[in-house]
Amino acid sequence: NAGVTQTPKFQVLKTGQSMTLQCAQDMNHEYMSWYRQDPGMGLRLIHYSVGAGITDQGEVPNGYNVSRSTTEDFPLRLLSAAPSQTSVYFCASSALAGDTDTQYFGPGTRLTVL
Amino acid sequence: AQSVTQLGSHVSVSEGALVLLRCNYSSSVPPYLFWYVQYPNQGLQLLLKYTTGATLVKGINGFEAEFKKSETSFHLTKPSAHMSDAAEYFCAVSASGGSYIPTFGRGTSLIVHP
């Protein structure tokens, strides 16, 4: 049971480039989400999904796109990277039945935009 | 609507001293409350949670927290700090009834001096 996995661990982009951060979970969790973590700001929710084909915006969605074609995968796309998107990104998942309120986090992707 | 306030962005203690990390919440419905810990360069992991029942909750690594409804607080304590406790700690709240979108505090960095 790998839990929540994220790739890559580190990434450096130039302003205007696009990229996709990958997230996968093997716990059959319906709920998945993306957060960004910035110093002094805690965790801010970018987008979330309650199941395949269903996504919604969080607190800071601008500049990011998501899709959920399978239960396991929830990629985050940066369409045109900006220096303000330099951050550490975490993917999380949780069940919608049973242990409904515990979030399981991936190890994070550290992104730098020059 | 729900929110979390963590008092103190940094807390410094000596090894063997009491650890007290403060968390106050607001919620329009009975809350579920969580403490997560983030060790350097890792994702967050659940330390403990309160959903219903006993208001004193015990977690991993000797930590515990007490839900005090009258004070809207969920402070985290540990009787004796270890060097290995140095980490970032996040308090989080979600609405009871199976809500899956938590709101996180800004985090408190625990520094342990030898």
Side-chain angles (χ1 to χ4, degrees):
Chain A
N1 213 349
V4 180
T5 58
Q6 291 183 238
T7 55
K9 281 187 174 292
F10 301 93
Q11 184 69 50
V12 178
L13 292 178
K14 294 181 179 178
T15 297
Q17 288 185 314
S18 63
M19 80 159 294
T20 299
L21 281 62
Q22 301 292 343
C23 174
Q25 52 91 11
D26 62 359
M27 296 173 283
N28 201 32
H29 285 168
E30 297 92 338
Y31 177 73
M32 296 185 73
S33 57
W34 277 101
Y35 291 89
R36 60 178 290 174
Q37 182 180 25
D38 302 291
M41 300 296 289
L43 292 169
R44 292 184 290 171
L45 183 64
I46 304 172
H47 286 285
Y48 65 96
S49 168
V50 299
I54 306 169
T55 63
D56 207 344
Q57 296 181 350
E59 180 186 354
V60 288
N62 292 341
Y64 307 95
N65 273 2
V66 292
S67 59
R68 184 96 178 268
S69 57
T70 67
T71 299
E72 295 78 20
D73 300 298
F74 191 44
L76 178 72
R77 296 183 191 85
L78 280 70
L79 305 174
S80 178
S84 61
Q85 294 178 304
T86 293
S87 187
V88 182
Y89 292 85
F90 289 100
C91 180
S93 73
S94 67
L96 289 181
D99 183 20
T100 61
D101 297 281
T102 298
Q103 300 290 317
Y104 294 84
F105 285 83
T109 294
R110 188 174 297 273
L111 175 67
T112 301
V113 182
L114 303 175
Chain B
Q2 56 201 29
S3 66
V4 171
T5 301
Q6 291 184 240
L7 300 176
S9 58
H10 295 83
V11 170
S12 182
V13 300
S14 298
E15 193 173 20
L18 171 72
V19 175
L20 171 61
L21 304 182
R22 299 177 187 273
C23 173
N24 288 89
Y25 71 91
S26 74
S27 177
S28 55
V29 298
Y32 288 171
L33 295 159
F34 310 82
W35 277 99
Y36 287 85
V37 59
Q38 182 183 31
Y39 297 105
N41 299 314
Q42 295 185 26
L44 282 70
Q45 61 185 102
L46 183 70
L47 199 54
L48 51 80
K49 68 179 179 181
Y50 167 80
T51 53
T52 59
T55 56
L56 181 62
V57 181
K58 295 187 186 297
I60 60 173
N61 300 335
F63 284 93
E64 62 182 36
E66 186 170 11
F67 170 56
K68 292 187 176 181
K69 184 178 178 181
S70 61
E71 299 177 8
T72 61
S73 69
F74 192 57
H75 301 331
L76 182 70
T77 61
K78 182 174 180 178
S80 177
H82 293 184
M83 296 296 291
S84 60
D85 294 327
E88 189 87 14
Y89 291 81
F90 291 91
C91 183
V93 62
S94 67
S96 59
S99 172
Y100 37 77
I101 306 176
T103 299
F104 286 85
R106 295 194 171 193
T108 297
S109 178
L110 177 64
I111 302 161
V112 183
H113 297 287

